Amino acid sequence: MALDESGRSPRILLVDCDAFYVQVARLEDPEGVGKVDLLLVGGSPTGRGVVTSASYGARRFGVRSAMSTAQALRLCPDATVVGVPRGACSRKSGEIRACLETLAPVVQTASIDEFFLDLMGTERLFDEPLEVTAHRIRAAVLEATSVSVSIGGGTRRMIAKLASGMAKPGGVHIVPPGHEAEFMRGLDLAQIPGVGPALVEELRKRGLVRVEEALGVQQEWLERWFGARRGRWLYARMRGMDSSEVDPREPRRSISSERTFFKDLKSDEDLERALLRLCRSVTHTLRKARLRARTITVKLRDGDFKTRSRSRTVDEPLETESATYGVARELLAELRSRRRTSARLLGVGLTNLGAGGDLAQFGLFEEEDRSEGQRERTLDHVVDGLRERFGDRAILPGRIISD
């Protein structure tokens, strides 16, 4: 356990919203959706799409997030299905963070519905156990935003993350300093963040399912089985070791957008138009975050639910709609050439993100020897400003203006 110079142990909390998308959907329509117990957010009542979040009532029927809406409705036929209220979710997430920033000195947004807090050094200020602080923060968030949260806490980010799962829904679970190993011993290996299905299966083949069962395996054997880097990582994770810090300036790792169509798309033209809309969305988010991307990924889910993807990493980072669309369109063409069938979902993801440079200061129509890339970047930033002022549909590419 890491200590600071005064010998104090870290005090880290993870604030995790309970069924966040469900809560926001209910807040947006309190007299309608707000009174529904069996609620699915994501997809459509016809069964297309996937579940983004399910109410706790629906979860009792076996419904889970990322499940196809059709399967969810087979398990819970009486459920009500509504779309994801994305704008409202973004606004509510901002409200939660603003509230937390009045309660903790360091706040990091881990996702739209998860926030890490670093309370180290606040022991004298609050003069209360960490568990009491967590309950007080939970109550304050609920009062300020009407959103219920669960809070996990401990000396490390990973411990706080795992503890928050124990606290759901609407509770608090704190792992005291010195009890990390005992806490980890009671978990399945699959519960450790970063241990995915493939690694879980490899461990299972060696008779290892519980953390307690794997603790007796020497690090040398883990490195032989899974490689030196992954073996060392797993050895440390099983013991609750995590050196990552709560950083309010931690950069985004990816930006993505996807769309499930109400009716399968069959033509290249329709898919390219949908792709352009997605590229428009992700590059706007990219520029707003003052970032550029080097890796573009296109995801395609066929009508028979087969999911495929292609990625490309470019030499120079991109931020413009046109350049990103140019790469994405080629990736889509590659996917279509390998399997021409109807498509039910299309997605675009941007990774390998880095800080964007400052824009050169020059007139839009000056006859100067400027690179096409720089001129495109400037034009996109001008369009961003117009969209912020007059609405998202103020300026649209001609190809999608009829949508």
Side-chain angles (χ1 to χ4, degrees):
M1 175 174 52
L3 303 176
D4 71 357
E5 295 178 355
S6 65
R8 298 172 299 185
S9 62
R11 292 157 51 90
I12 297 174
L13 298 178
L14 177 65
V15 177
D16 188 352
C17 303
D18 301 320
F20 178 63
Y21 293 94
V22 169
Q23 288 199 73
V24 176
R26 286 172 168 167
L27 290 171
E28 287 294 289
D29 182 16
E31 296 303 315
V33 172
K35 297 181 178 181
V36 174
D37 177 47
L38 304 178
L39 180 62
L40 308 180
V41 179
S44 71
T46 62
R48 299 188 66 82
V50 296
V51 176
T52 300
S53 184
S55 67
Y56 287 102
R59 294 182 192 189
R60 290 195 293 269
F61 290 81
V63 178
R64 297 289 180 268
S65 61
M67 175 182 289
S68 72
T69 307
Q71 182 182 356
L73 287 172
R74 285 195 293 271
L75 293 170
C76 187
D78 294 329
T80 298
V81 182
V82 297
V84 179
R86 299 191 184 280
C89 287
S90 296
R91 291 192 297 273
K92 190 61 68 173
S93 178
E95 291 176 17
I96 294 168
R97 172 160 183 141
C99 175
L100 293 173
E101 287 177 338
T102 68
L103 303 169
V106 180
V107 179
Q108 176 186 334
T109 300
S111 67
I112 195 171
D113 60 349
E114 292 183 319
F115 306 85
F116 280 107
L117 312 182
D118 188 344
L119 296 170
M120 193 166 182
T122 63
E123 297 87 345
R124 291 185 179 179
L125 175 64
F126 293 146
D127 191 26
E128 62 188 13
L130 186 58
E131 183 172 359
V132 174
T133 302
H135 278 289
R136 180 168 51 79
I137 290 174
R138 205 191 85 77
V141 170
L142 182 61
E143 181 179 0
T145 69
S146 300
V147 173
S148 171
V149 301
S150 299
I151 300 181
T155 56
R156 302 182 180 102
R157 286 195 356 160
M158 186 184 74
I159 296 295
K161 168 71 173 175
L162 290 166
S164 70
M166 305 282 188
K168 282 186 169 293
V172 169
H173 188 96
I174 306 296
V175 179
H179 289 254
E180 294 83 5
E182 177 185 350
F183 173 72
M184 294 298 300
R185 197 177 282 271
L187 302 177
D188 286 341
L189 290 162
Q191 293 177 259
I192 299 176
V195 176
L199 182 53
V200 168
E201 180 60 20
E202 291 184 59
L203 289 163
R204 187 195 64 78
K205 289 178 180 178
R206 292 175 169 83
L208 305 175
V209 176
R210 304 279 294 172
V211 171
E212 186 172 14
E213 297 166 346
L215 287 174
V217 179
Q218 296 179 356
Q219 181 175 326
E220 179 184 358
W221 281 104
L222 293 175
E223 292 181 14
R224 286 186 184 183
W225 291 342
F226 309 119
R229 183 176 180 181
R230 191 157 63 152
R232 288 194 301 270
W233 175 85
L234 182 59
Y235 184 87
R237 284 274 177 163
M238 292 189 304
R239 288 158 176 78
M241 300 177 186
D242 174 21
S243 60
S244 60
E245 298 180 350
V246 178
D247 182 1
R249 298 171 300 279
E250 184 177 59
R252 294 185 66 158
R253 298 178 181 177
S254 65
I255 295 172
S256 63
S257 180
E258 61 183 42
R259 180 180 177 185
T260 299
F261 309 118
F262 285 104
K263 182 179 180 181
D264 289 0
L265 299 187
K266 297 180 180 180
S267 72
D268 290 336
E269 182 181 359
D270 286 342
L271 282 168
E272 288 175 2
R273 293 176 69 215
L275 184 70
L276 180 57
R277 286 193 292 269
L278 293 170
C279 288
R280 182 171 181 262
S281 173
V282 294
T283 55
H284 176 67
T285 302
L286 189 73
R287 292 187 298 273
K288 192 172 182 180
R290 299 181 182 276
L291 296 172
R292 292 178 185 168
R294 289 190 59 226
T295 301
I296 297 91
T297 300
V298 172
K299 172 183 174 183
L300 187 66
R301 180 169 297 148
D302 298 331
D304 59 2
F305 288 92
K306 181 179 178 61
T307 302
R308 302 175 290 139
S309 65
R310 293 285 291 175
S311 298
R312 182 178 302 171
T313 298
V314 297
D315 293 332
E316 295 295 327
L318 304 175
E319 68 173 48
T320 65
E321 176 184 311
S322 59
T324 302
Y325 174 67
V327 176
R329 186 182 181 187
E330 292 178 3
L331 294 172
L332 176 62
E334 291 178 23
L335 289 169
R336 296 279 286 169
S337 68
R338 285 167 169 76
R339 192 171 193 254
R340 295 196 64 82
T341 183
S342 61
R344 62 183 294 113
L345 177 146
L346 184 65
V348 174
L350 305 179
T351 52
N352 236 337
L353 306 183
D358 293 331
L359 288 174
Q361 298 299 314
F362 63 94
L364 290 179
F365 304 105
E366 291 179 8
E367 296 298 327
E368 297 185 15
D369 184 18
R370 301 290 184 179
S371 69
E372 180 181 5
Q374 181 61 59
R375 190 173 296 278
E376 288 176 343
R377 287 193 290 270
T378 304
L379 285 168
D380 275 12
H381 279 271
V382 171
V383 171
D384 287 341
L386 292 172
R387 290 171 65 186
E388 292 288 339
R389 186 175 179 184
F390 298 109
D392 188 57
R393 297 180 64 85
I395 295 182
L396 293 172
R399 194 170 183 183
I400 64 173
I401 200 165
S402 61
D403 291 358

